[in-house]
Amino acid sequence: MSTKFETRYASSPYTVKKLDTQELREEFLIEKPLKNGEINLTYTHYDRYIAGGAVPTSNPLKLETIDPLKAEYFLERREMGIINVGSTGTIEVDGKKYEMNHKDALYIGQGAKDVVFHSANANEPAKFYINSAPAHKSFPTKKVSLAEANKIELGSLETANHRTVSQMIIGGIVDTCQLQMGMTELKTGSVWNTMPAHVHDRRMEVYFYLDVPDEQSVCHFMGQPQETRHIWMQNHQAVISPPWSIHSGSGTSNYTFIWGMAGENLDYGDMDVAKIKELR
């Protein structure tokens, strides 16, 4: 099988504040979501969310169902969002091909049976970052380029958090059941993302960091606002954020990250902000 997976169970904030560094990383860090020649997924028990990647090289990769889904095919009761963080490739959905350039997104609705990933060049493969959530209704498959995203400018250079948020798989652009995805790019000289930090108890989230220069890192902050913890992260790594946790980060350089979330509603602004001076 080219589709591999691991399972992560949900943890309470009481348990998490007792974890040491390695235990915290094992619980929340997805260290290698992108592996050459594989579809590699992490099934979480936070809203039954799945995050991972597909990196086709010399051969295409076909998405196969995994045991936790108890489904005939992967998207029988699910929807999926994909953003290409590598070179040009193609995603074939029930025979229809979508050419995917760097940072293009594709939404695939519930009920699509055959999903196949291709790279245009095996030596410089496409790298498809994948998020998936349960779905109750089928919506059309739709491609969204970075240029077609809804862009929001936030922050400032003075507070080291000047950034562009590109909403890609979100209401007004793509109809979904609960999945939302997009990309946030930090400007040169800015390093803080999602500050002021927030929680949204009605949704969980996964961050995937990219464009992190060699020899640089991002320190990702999580935990309850009064009990924060941190995980040092490298390029092309992802981190799971429970609904009770903040999700913010600061890098030793500017960088980009992909955010994906699912849960109780589709209100992007549904959040409870934690004041900076009240973080602990």
Side-chain angles (χ1 to χ4, degrees), residues 8-203:
R8 304 282 182 93
Y9 290 95
S11 299
S12 74
Y14 177 79
T15 300
V16 170
K17 70 181 182 179
K18 296 181 178 181
L19 301 181
D20 64 23
T21 298
Q22 186 58 35
E23 290 169 334
L24 195 71
R25 293 174 70 86
E26 290 173 355
E27 195 80 12
F28 298 104
L29 177 65
I30 304 175
E31 191 167 8
K32 295 181 179 179
L34 299 173
K35 295 182 179 180
N36 285 352
E38 291 183 9
I39 299 175
N40 188 51
L41 305 172
T42 297
Y43 178 97
T44 83
H45 282 256
Y46 295 106
D47 288 298
R48 307 289 170 169
Y49 204 83
I50 293 174
V55 186
T57 51
S58 55
N59 295 308
L61 295 174
K62 182 176 181 178
L63 180 66
E64 300 160 318
T65 191
I66 58 176
D67 186 65
L69 304 184
K70 305 301 182 188
E72 181 183 342
Y73 54 95
F74 194 96
L75 294 175
E76 183 177 355
R77 298 183 299 272
R78 286 189 158 264
E79 58 187 353
M80 177 174 284
I82 303 162
I83 297 178
N84 182 13
V85 298
S87 299
T88 301
T90 302
I91 303 175
E92 189 176 350
V93 182
D94 288 340
K96 183 175 181 179
K97 295 182 178 180
Y98 298 85
E99 183 174 338
M100 302 288 292
N101 294 315
H102 186 61
K103 294 184 177 177
D104 283 348
L106 184 70
Y107 171 79
I108 306 176
Q110 176 198 15
K113 289 188 175 180
D114 294 315
V115 180
V116 184
F117 301 93
H118 306 258
S119 287
N121 183 346
N123 296 319
E124 295 182 2
K127 297 179 179 181
F128 298 110
Y129 174 62
I130 296 169
N131 283 192
S132 175
H136 59 273
K137 182 179 179 179
S138 179
F139 289 106
T141 297
K142 184 176 180 180
K143 176 183 170 182
V144 181
S145 70
L146 189 59
E148 294 170 319
N150 180 45
K151 298 187 183 298
I152 305 170
E153 293 287 325
L154 295 173
S156 68
L157 186 59
E158 288 75 15
T159 50
N161 65 352
H162 188 198
R163 60 201 189 272
T164 301
V165 178
S166 296
Q167 298 174 329
M168 304 181 80
I169 298 175
I170 195 169
I173 299 176
V174 179
D175 290 325
T176 74
C177 291
Q178 62 169 320
L179 180 66
Q180 297 183 73
M181 289 182 74
M183 191 179 308
T184 299
E185 181 180 9
L186 277 290
K187 304 291 187 181
T188 301
S190 287
V191 294
W192 278 101
N193 74 63
T194 321
M195 188 58 67
H198 61 263
V199 298
H200 27 71
D201 199 48
R202 294 150 296 278
R203 291 180 291 170

Side-chain angles (χ1 to χ4, degrees), residues 223-237:
Q224 293 175 296
Q226 71 276 15
E227 283 281 353
T228 59
R229 299 292 185 269
H230 68 272
I231 299 176
W232 282 97
M233 300 184 60
Q234 312 302 318
N235 195 45
H236 287 180
Q237 292 184 337

